[in-house]
Amino acid sequence: MNISNVLRNAAALGGIATLIVCGTANAATPAKAKLSAATHAVKVQQIRNATIKVNYAGTTFLIDPMLAKKGTYPGFEGTYNSQLRNPLVELPMPLAEAMKADAIIVTHTHLDHWDDAAKQNLPKNLPLFAQNEADAQSIRKDC
């Protein structure tokens, strides 16, 4: 695993940890803490590669959607297994189920985080969050 993947994964986990901490930090009493924990529970589901769903306080975020069928894209140059086509595995659920979300987060626009299948299949009316305005403009052109 290269260092950029480690850092990217650590950043994603840090963001999820922040959701958990922020959801319970204001609970002043044990009763409030239980209520807060129940209403702000975080559920994380890895779909494949960087694609995950996070459900927080009843809102489902689809993060870095790579939704193409197994083997759709050539291998990624410069990687250890660049001869393997991507995605490496099929979606573990039907595409319609993978796309069920209230909002989309795209951490960056590499193919394994925002692919053609996501661009074509995701509902255009979902809120979409990007790391910066340049990525947001690029994503808006895709939609």
Side-chain angles (χ1 to χ4, degrees), residues 6-69:
V6 171
L7 293 173
R8 188 170 32 246
N9 292 341
L13 291 174
I16 293 166
T18 300
L19 286 174
I20 295 168
V21 170
C22 291
T24 58
N26 294 327
T29 65
K32 279 188 176 180
K34 284 183 183 179
L35 177 61
S36 181
T39 58
H40 291 17
V42 177
K43 179 181 174 189
V44 178
Q45 176 187 19
Q46 182 172 19
I47 296 175
R48 66 173 175 206
N49 192 37
T51 305
I52 63 173
K53 279 188 179 182
V54 174
N55 185 290
Y56 175 69
T59 300
T60 301
F61 297 92
L62 177 61
I63 303 172
D64 290 338
M66 182 186 203
L67 302 176
K69 293 183 180 199

Side-chain angles (χ1 to χ4, degrees), residues 61-65 103-108 113-114 127-131:
F61 297 92
L62 177 61
I63 303 172
D64 290 338
I104 302 164
I105 299 173
V106 178
T107 61
H108 61 287
H113 294 259
W114 178 243
L128 195 140
F129 301 92
Q131 68 171 335

Side-chain angles (χ1 to χ4, degrees), residues 90-107:
E90 289 292 354
L91 287 170
M93 63 195 64
L95 178 61
E97 181 67 25
M99 293 189 315
K100 285 183 184 175
D102 300 306
I104 302 164
I105 299 173
V106 178
T107 61

Side-chain angles (χ1 to χ4, degrees), residues 75-95:
F76 298 125
E77 270 188 54
T79 62
Y80 181 73
N81 288 313
S82 61
Q83 77 282 3
L84 299 177
R85 295 186 64 82
N86 285 283
L88 298 175
V89 299
E90 289 292 354
L91 287 170
M93 63 195 64
L95 178 61

